[in-house]
Amino acid sequence: MEENTVSDVTAPETDRGWESVDDVSWTLLDLDELVDAYWAVVAPVMETDGLDPNREKPTHSWLRDHGFRPLLYALREYHDRTFAEFWREDLEIDTVESGYDWATDHERTIEALESFLTSRRERKGLADSSIDTLRYRLNRYVTAYYEENDTGDLVTPVARDGDIPAYKAVDACWTAFDRLHADIDGGQTKRRIHLAVSNWYAHLVRRKWAAVNPADGLDDEFDWSNGNDDDTDTPCLATEHVRALYKAADGQEDRLLVLALCAWGLRPNEVASLRARQFVLDVSTDEIPYITFEERKNGPGEVSLLYGKEVLEDRLAMFSDCEDWDGYLFPSPHASRGPISRWTVWNRFTQLAERAGLPDEIGGVSPSPKMGRRFWYDAYSSSLDVVLESLDEIAAEQGSASADVVMQNYLSDSRARKLRREYMRDQLAAAFEES
């Protein structure tokens, strides 16, 4: 195989303006472009550190420490690839590599993980495919643990002969699951990851490697029922479904509920507990009103309010003269103060779906609030495709290879975001505005 060299690949890429990690929009690149960016940006930094980019695979720690975490994220979330797979299959570096690409370089932790998998294979008789799935779930936890606790050593905190208090080991484990809880929509996925992790720690306890299982009982701390989270395979509402729901909403409160689910993409529990102080409406002309979430740990802290501001303002005005109002947009109708529950959101949505004449099943599943959130995600992701299509003419005029090139090299992040929001607003208008 012809060997790649940094000088061979970086020179043609200077037109992209890739001089440092901050210049690269990793999540907007396809695999071929990620390869180019790797040789243009990552490889020179490796050389500076005395590493041979043509022979040596940088570790996860090295990549994180040098600001290349977005590359790992883009590979995992947008291309379903580990860095090892990218390094082997896309960079095609001719170096023999063995072993799984764990998200840690700590040898004792890797040994403990592999010991558990070997035991499951040899003593439980699990098939290779099941071992691969188990390994993937454990690695999701290792990744979250590293990112939250800034260490890949998962063994020392629970070691029998260690001097770290048990509560600190529990805190580190729970913090990692806080991150997984925020990053992963599917309740079933979270439960399966927790089961794998708890079984791994229990294995270490039985082997006398660990004194405590910090994941024990953690499932009692979270509500990972199917009704609480948005599974990634949940069908989404179609535009006509959202339009029917909104028309069936015969009051201000119901209209706001549909908007919060479908136009703002909120979870049922987030809708139930919405408060006036979360809304930032007084913004400059060039800015978008937004909703703040202080407790959305490790997730987006703000949600853009692209549609439905007028209905929201009417709702706020209705409470403006109420002296005993505690700020909740959906106050409980009972005597006790506070908001409605997430289950009330589910019940009201179900009643709306019946009045709107929605099908008994959508994609084989009964209509539920989380389908509104999926509608929002589907609409927003498709808006990027629309923007790219609109740039085709510009690409032709500029002699660029594609609209993607124009998007990446000639549009600022703020301009690209503005275009996506404009198309997103059009899609929401199509769903909510009455004919």
Side-chain angles (χ1 to χ4, degrees):
M1 188 184 86
E2 183 177 350
E3 182 178 276
N4 288 316
T5 63
V6 177
S7 60
D8 287 338
V9 295
T10 53
E13 296 304 327
T14 54
D15 288 343
R16 292 182 182 268
W18 289 345
E19 297 179 359
S20 70
V21 62
D22 295 331
D23 296 327
V24 185
S25 298
W26 300 97
T27 57
L28 297 179
L29 305 184
D30 60 29
L31 281 171
D32 289 339
E33 291 167 332
L34 284 174
V35 170
D36 291 341
Y38 181 88
W39 291 112
V41 179
V42 181
V45 179
M46 291 180 64
E47 286 191 325
T48 301
D49 264 20
L51 301 175
D52 182 358
N54 299 295
R55 295 293 181 188
E56 298 180 74
K57 180 172 75 70
T59 64
H60 279 75
S61 296
W62 186 92
L63 290 166
R64 292 188 181 102
D65 292 343
H66 290 78
F68 295 112
R69 188 192 300 262
L71 168 61
L72 299 175
Y73 176 82
L75 288 170
R76 182 179 70 247
E77 299 296 332
Y78 288 82
H79 303 286
D80 194 26
R81 262 173 166 69
T82 65
F83 180 75
E85 292 169 338
F86 171 73
W87 190 80
R88 181 177 59 251
E89 299 173 11
D90 301 296
L91 296 177
E92 298 180 346
I93 297 177
D94 190 16
T95 301
V96 176
E97 183 201 16
S98 60
Y100 180 72
D101 184 37
W102 290 103
T104 176
D105 304 312
H106 188 256
E107 293 182 1
R108 183 66 169 163
T109 298
I110 294 176
E111 182 184 359
L113 291 163
E114 292 292 351
S115 169
F116 172 66
L117 295 174
T118 298
S119 176
R120 291 281 150 159
R121 180 186 295 108
E122 296 179 355
R123 296 188 177 94
K124 291 282 189 180
L126 294 187
D128 288 343
S129 58
S130 298
I131 293 296
D132 290 342
T133 300
L134 191 56
R135 182 184 287 111
Y136 171 78
R137 290 171 184 164
L138 288 171
N139 207 28
R140 288 297 298 267
Y141 171 68
V142 174
T143 300
Y145 191 100
Y146 191 110
E147 292 176 345
E148 281 300 307
N149 300 293
D150 199 27
T151 177
D153 180 1
L154 281 67
V155 175
T156 300
V158 297
R160 285 171 57 86
D161 55 354
D163 56 1
I164 298 177
Y167 76 87
K168 289 190 176 181
V170 172
D171 286 347
C173 172
W174 288 24
T175 298
F177 271 98
D178 282 337
R179 185 179 189 94
L180 291 169
H181 182 63
D183 288 349
I184 300 174
D185 281 334
Q188 186 178 60
T189 300
K190 297 172 189 177
R191 290 195 301 274
R192 288 173 175 172
I193 291 175
H194 171 257
L195 179 61
V197 171
S198 184
N199 286 339
W200 174 59
Y201 278 121
H203 168 80
L204 298 185
V205 172
R206 290 191 296 271
R207 288 287 307 274
K208 310 305 179 185
W209 286 22
V212 63
N213 179 350
D216 187 27
L218 185 60
D219 50 340
D220 292 330
E221 296 292 320
F222 293 98
D223 185 355
W224 290 334
S225 62
N226 288 332
N228 185 41
D229 287 293
D230 305 287
D231 294 326
T232 54
D233 57 353
T234 298
C236 69
L237 297 174
T239 297
E240 56 268 25
H241 296 148
V242 176
R243 185 183 299 118
L245 283 170
Y246 200 59
K247 288 184 177 180
D250 54 8
Q252 182 191 80
E253 189 168 2
D254 281 348
R255 287 196 296 273
L256 190 64
L257 186 142
V258 178
L259 284 166
L261 292 169
C262 303
W264 306 342
L266 304 185
R267 299 176 177 87
N269 62 311
E270 293 172 337
V271 174
S273 59
L274 278 174
R275 304 190 80 168
R277 66 189 183 195
Q278 292 178 252
F279 293 87
V280 180
L281 304 180
D282 187 15
V283 297
S284 65
T285 305
D286 297 332
E287 294 179 332
I288 300 294
Y290 58 92
I291 315 169
T292 62
F293 290 90
E294 295 179 358
E295 298 180 359
R296 257 190 172 187
K297 180 171 172 53
N298 298 314
E302 300 175 358
V303 173
S304 297
L305 195 65
L306 298 177
Y307 196 87
K309 181 182 176 183
E310 294 79 7
V311 176
L312 170 64
E313 289 175 333
D314 289 344
R315 183 69 171 170
L316 295 174
M318 188 189 77
F319 288 110
S320 61
D321 295 329
C322 298
E323 295 182 358
D324 59 346
W325 182 46
D326 52 12
Y328 289 108
L329 268 66
F330 298 98
S332 172
H334 304 294
S336 59
R337 296 171 61 85
I340 61 176
S341 70
R342 69 169 70 92
W343 303 116
T344 301
V345 173
W346 274 72
N347 291 335
R348 292 183 182 178
F349 179 90
T350 301
Q351 294 169 4
L352 272 173
E354 292 177 356
R355 295 207 303 268
L358 263 58
D360 292 337
E361 291 188 351
I362 298 174
V365 180
S366 299
S368 65
K370 58 186 178 180
M371 291 184 181
R373 179 170 164 82
R374 292 293 295 171
F375 165 81
W376 185 94
Y377 269 108
D378 184 70
Y380 195 80
S381 61
S382 65
S383 68
L384 178 57
D385 296 331
V386 177
V387 171
L388 290 175
E389 290 174 5
S390 70
L391 295 176
D392 282 336
E393 185 176 346
I394 298 176
E397 291 290 340
Q398 293 292 327
S400 299
S402 68
D404 300 81
V405 175
V406 176
M407 184 82 162
Q408 295 156 18
N409 295 341
Y410 298 101
L411 285 182
S412 65
D413 289 342
S414 60
R415 176 58 178 163
R417 183 167 55 250
K418 181 178 180 181
L419 288 173
R420 289 198 301 271
R421 285 172 171 172
E422 288 176 356
Y423 284 105
M424 177 64 173
R425 194 178 284 110
D426 288 343
Q427 293 184 72
L428 294 175
F432 286 95
E433 292 182 3
E434 299 181 2
S435 58

